[in-house]
Amino acid sequence: MMYPEIEPYAQGFMDAGHGHRVYWELCGNPQGQPAVFLHGGPGAGCSPAHRRLFDPERYNILLFDQRGCGRSTPSANIEHNTTWDLVVDIERLRTEVLHADKMVVFGGSWGSTLALAYAETHPERVRALIVRGIFLLRQAELRWFYQEGASWLFPDLWEDYLAPIPEDERDDLMAAYRRRLTSDDPQAQLRAAHAWTQWESHTISLLPNPAHHRAHAADQAALAFARIENHYFVNRGFMEEGQLLRDAHKLAPIPGVIIQGRYDACTPAKSAWDLHRAWPQAEFHMIPDAGHAFDEPGILRQLLAATDRYASD
């Protein structure tokens, strides 16, 4: 069971430069253990459910919508929007909003990518690292989900993903989607955005979950999600191939937990296993009856156990 619903005790916007205004909120106990929640996507934004992953009596929780998504503005903006821009944003939020020397860093899916990038850049600022649904943003992972691989598990849903793209452009689907998501035709943008978004929304859990299908169903939410994800993935996360594993030795002093669904079709378990091998100091939990979503019972149970463990100094 997640913790009860709570409302922020403070919220605002950070001017991140180049026109970006990043929405942030603080929840829980102002005197509690500092923690930052890094949402997925990129482009998904935070939800009230994410506040409930931490004990509000013991944590001071920072949540924020990354550049261009959620309540941050301008929506769906991919200019000056890279992994390393977000790492800078996290550092500013740590010092200017959370006022913390160190913090627990929590990230799932793309949030795990960003958490690892941040922790490898600023290991001295990470009290503990909790990552779920590991995504290392390697070329093979991107091809698996957006070109060929997961398509063999969900051939019926794959047809809907292929639908906006003519057959003669299907040799590089991410590039074909980019052309539509950045086109001057609003209808082409929206058609591509919904197809891209629903492919992920329908494949992230072991069993179908209508709540996931509705998560980014609105036009603007779908557009922000698809444009920003595609922008990051076409650009390989603005990282060198294998960079996060190469630099995983920097995580050695950081306590941590890796949580992975065995049947995760979105970010397959090999990436979590590779991280486990590169960062053996962290606890590793393979959930035998789960896919990718954070709210699947086995994953959620381990996430709550992890946040409870690091709630006190």
Side-chain angles (χ1 to χ4, degrees):
M1 288 286 290
M2 288 194 285
Y3 284 99
E5 293 184 8
I6 53 173
E7 293 296 321
Y9 70 80
Q11 56 200 135
F13 289 86
M14 180 181 75
D15 182 351
H18 303 286
H20 283 284
R21 296 178 72 243
V22 172
Y23 171 83
W24 59 265
E25 61 184 39
L26 291 172
C27 304
N29 179 357
Q31 307 307 316
Q33 180 72 251
V36 62
F37 176 86
L38 304 177
H39 67 67
C46 290
S47 78
H50 297 145
R51 304 167 186 160
R52 303 175 61 195
L53 293 164
F54 304 83
D55 183 344
E57 299 291 326
R58 297 192 289 166
Y59 271 104
N60 188 18
I61 315 147
L62 168 67
L63 301 95
F64 73 100
D65 292 335
Q66 295 158 28
R67 296 187 183 203
C69 67
R71 291 147 291 189
S72 293
T73 62
S75 181
N77 187 353
I78 57 177
E79 300 297 322
H80 301 283
N81 195 341
T82 73
T83 303
W84 309 111
D85 290 320
L86 300 183
V87 167
V88 170
D89 291 346
I90 296 168
E91 262 300 87
R92 284 192 57 200
L93 289 164
R94 177 185 67 80
T95 59
E96 299 174 20
V97 174
L98 198 53
H99 304 294
D101 181 57
K102 288 189 172 189
M103 55 190 179
V104 175
V105 178
F106 180 121
S109 191
W110 155 257
S112 76
T113 320
L114 184 56
L116 292 168
Y118 176 80
E120 290 175 4
T121 306
H122 300 287
E124 73 285 357
R125 299 303 179 192
V126 182
R127 183 185 177 275
L129 186 58
I130 301 168
V131 285
R132 181 271 311 166
I134 306 305
F135 181 35
L136 300 174
L137 235 166
R138 296 175 291 184
Q139 180 65 13
E141 295 168 81
L142 293 170
R143 285 192 58 82
W144 158 268
F145 197 61
Y146 293 106
Q147 190 65 37
E148 185 178 29
S151 56
W152 285 60
L153 298 176
F154 302 100
D156 48 344
L157 301 175
W158 186 249
E159 288 192 6
D160 295 331
Y161 172 74
L162 289 178
I165 310 300
E167 287 195 22
D168 62 357
E169 293 186 58
R170 292 180 181 175
D171 60 323
D172 187 341
L173 289 164
M174 289 197 303
Y177 263 97
R178 179 176 177 82
R179 287 190 284 274
R180 285 151 184 83
L181 290 167
T182 59
S183 77
D184 295 327
D185 181 345
Q187 290 307 115
Q189 281 193 34
L190 282 178
R191 186 182 182 213
H194 283 293
W196 177 283
T197 300
Q198 288 304 309
W199 163 242
E200 183 165 330
S201 296
H202 281 73
T203 54
I204 62 170
S205 54
L206 182 61
L207 298 175
N209 185 329
H212 296 156
H213 306 168
R214 295 190 299 267
H216 307 293
D219 286 352
Q220 193 55 45
L223 187 61
F225 184 85
R227 271 173 60 92
I228 295 171
E229 268 205 345
N230 179 268
H231 164 69
Y232 272 74
F233 298 165
V234 165
N235 287 289
R236 310 293 184 253
F238 306 93
M239 292 183 285
E240 297 173 15
E241 177 71 10
Q243 179 175 335
L244 294 177
L245 277 185
R246 181 198 72 197
D247 293 344
H249 61 94
K250 298 177 182 179
L251 306 174
I254 302 173
V257 179
I258 302 166
I259 300 164
Q260 177 70 33
R262 168 71 74 183
Y263 297 105
D264 186 336
C266 182
T267 58
K270 184 180 189 309
S271 293
W273 186 254
D274 290 346
L275 179 62
H276 165 56
R277 297 292 297 273
W279 182 31
Q281 298 84 359
E283 280 190 20
F284 179 74
H285 298 277
M286 185 78 81
I287 310 304
D289 57 352
H292 181 72
F294 85 91
D295 55 359
E296 294 180 77
I299 292 177
L300 183 59
R301 187 161 50 247
Q302 288 296 341
L303 290 175
L304 291 168
T307 58
D308 284 349
R309 176 173 314 145
Y310 298 123
S312 304
D313 288 321

